[in-house]
Amino acid sequence: MLDHKVETFLALCQTMNYTRAAEQLHITQPAVSQHIRALEAEYGARFFTYEGKQLSLTEAGTLFLRTASAARHDDLHLKELLRAAAGRRTLHFGATLTIGEYLMPGPLARLLRTDPDLRLRMVVNNTDALLAMLDRGEIDFAVIEGFYPRQDYDGLVYTREEMLPVCAPEHPLAAGTHRLRDLLDAHLLVREEGSGTREMLQRALQERGLSLADFPHLAELGSLNAIKALVLENCGITFCYRSVVAKELAAGSLQQIDLPDFTLAHDFTFLWQKNSVFAPYYREVFAKLQP
């Protein structure tokens, strides 16, 4: 349903190269240039400019990209709904690691029990990667723990989670009451760049005049389970959401560090492309996936 000129615009935004956009679309490079010029003439605005030899979007181009991306996603989602009307229902979305591994299994189990014919695909990745997938129309919606540009998406608060400092019961920090700066000499285990958990921790530290660079013993891991396993082995401490360590805290295999000067909670967000015509559908799915 999208105009072929808009498809060309989106391909050029993805590649930022006229030759690669032409190869991707299986058309000639002059045809790409013609489509872009016609689109700019239609809307009376320049969408691209060169800074040196680097192609970049203008402010008008950035605005058009947001709208065109939403339109393409709505077109793809409409096709999915039409297939669903023929009995092939699909649900394609993304979730960050904490949410995908620790909060979604229960709601998804309920959903699959009530709709066993549903074709389900949940992509688990960090916040930055999921937002990029949402922008490209590769997923319908995302449930994230990280921060995001609110002007680009519509969304609802999925749940609110407390972030805790935790360690093994044998760790020196397990006993007594501490201040945040008492933790600086400990081995700190954190997620990779781009993860919502890491970004949340970084912002909380900055508000208290600290940063991850103040922890000389820092290990970065892309797996929550790996981080938790190392903390269980008394190889360091970590900050994580309560849902991640709820079972271990209840069993006593992990212990919350008593840190009165560090209290932190953050909203997990269910979001989709801004101004999507399928917003009522996403709100319906949101209600079905409540934790």
Side-chain angles (χ1 to χ4, degrees):
M1 290 175 62
L2 285 185
D3 187 289
H4 64 280
K5 298 190 297 296
V6 176
E7 293 286 6
T8 301
F9 170 84
L10 290 170
L12 186 55
C13 288
Q14 183 178 353
T15 62
M16 281 299 173
N17 182 283
Y18 280 86
T19 301
R20 289 201 296 271
E23 292 172 351
Q24 179 176 309
L25 296 167
H26 305 292
I27 59 177
T28 65
Q29 184 175 331
V32 173
S33 300
Q34 182 182 5
H35 290 173
I36 298 302
R37 286 196 300 270
L39 203 58
E40 290 176 332
E42 181 178 348
Y43 287 91
R46 284 284 303 278
F47 291 155
F48 296 93
T49 186
Y50 277 98
E51 298 177 1
K53 294 184 178 180
Q54 181 66 45
L55 187 67
S56 62
L57 280 168
T58 64
E59 184 177 349
T62 301
L63 176 60
F64 191 81
L65 174 60
R66 292 174 188 164
T67 305
S69 295
R72 179 172 64 178
H73 178 266
D74 283 350
D75 182 45
L76 294 171
H77 186 56
L78 176 59
K79 292 173 182 176
E80 291 289 351
L81 289 181
L82 292 174
R83 284 193 287 270
R88 300 187 301 276
R89 294 178 298 282
T90 64
L91 188 63
H92 187 187
F93 71 102
T96 48
L97 194 57
T98 301
I99 296 167
E101 291 194 357
Y102 295 96
L103 293 181
M104 274 297 162
L108 290 179
R110 293 198 310 269
L111 190 62
L112 290 172
R113 280 195 293 267
T114 58
D115 191 357
D117 295 326
L118 178 69
R119 295 178 59 188
L120 177 68
R121 184 183 176 197
M122 180 179 72
V123 178
V124 177
N125 213 320
N126 65 41
T127 297
D128 290 349
L130 292 178
L131 292 179
M133 293 181 70
L134 193 57
D135 291 342
R136 294 192 298 266
E138 296 173 4
I139 54 177
D140 296 329
F141 61 88
V143 192
I144 66 168
E145 63 201 73
F147 296 90
Y148 65 97
R150 295 181 181 273
Q151 71 275 10
D152 295 343
Y153 306 95
D154 290 326
L156 299 165
V157 175
Y158 183 66
T159 188
R160 188 167 179 81
E161 278 279 322
E162 184 183 6
M163 181 174 278
L164 310 173
V166 297
C167 64
E170 303 82 19
H171 196 283
L173 290 170
T177 299
H178 305 277
R179 297 180 59 82
L180 182 58
R181 290 183 178 271
D182 297 336
L183 277 56
L184 296 182
D185 290 331
H187 286 262
L188 179 63
L189 311 176
V190 297
R191 288 281 308 285
E192 78 286 357
E193 288 280 358
S195 83
T197 303
R198 181 188 178 115
E199 185 179 9
M200 187 65 188
L201 176 59
Q202 287 178 151
R203 292 197 181 199
L205 290 174
Q206 288 170 3
E207 291 172 359
R208 294 159 174 84
L210 295 170
S211 72
L212 289 178
D214 292 311
F215 291 84
H217 309 294
L218 189 72
E220 300 180 9
L221 298 96
S223 165
L224 280 172
N225 286 330
I227 289 175
K228 189 161 60 172
L230 289 172
V231 176
L232 285 165
E233 291 294 328
N234 199 19
C235 293
I237 68 169
T238 193
F239 290 81
C240 60
Y241 291 108
R242 182 178 290 278
S243 57
V244 174
V245 292
K247 292 181 180 178
E248 290 78 10
L249 290 175
S253 54
L254 286 180
Q255 183 169 323
Q256 181 177 347
I257 300 171
D258 190 1
L259 212 60
D261 65 338
F262 185 91
T263 55
L264 182 63
H266 180 61
D267 290 341
F268 291 177
T269 310
F270 182 109
L271 54 83
W272 59 88
Q273 284 279 5
K274 195 171 187 66
N275 300 322
S276 171
V277 297
F278 293 104
Y281 168 77
Y282 298 134
R283 292 178 182 275
E284 179 183 338
V285 174
F286 169 81
K288 292 179 178 179
L289 291 181
Q290 284 299 291

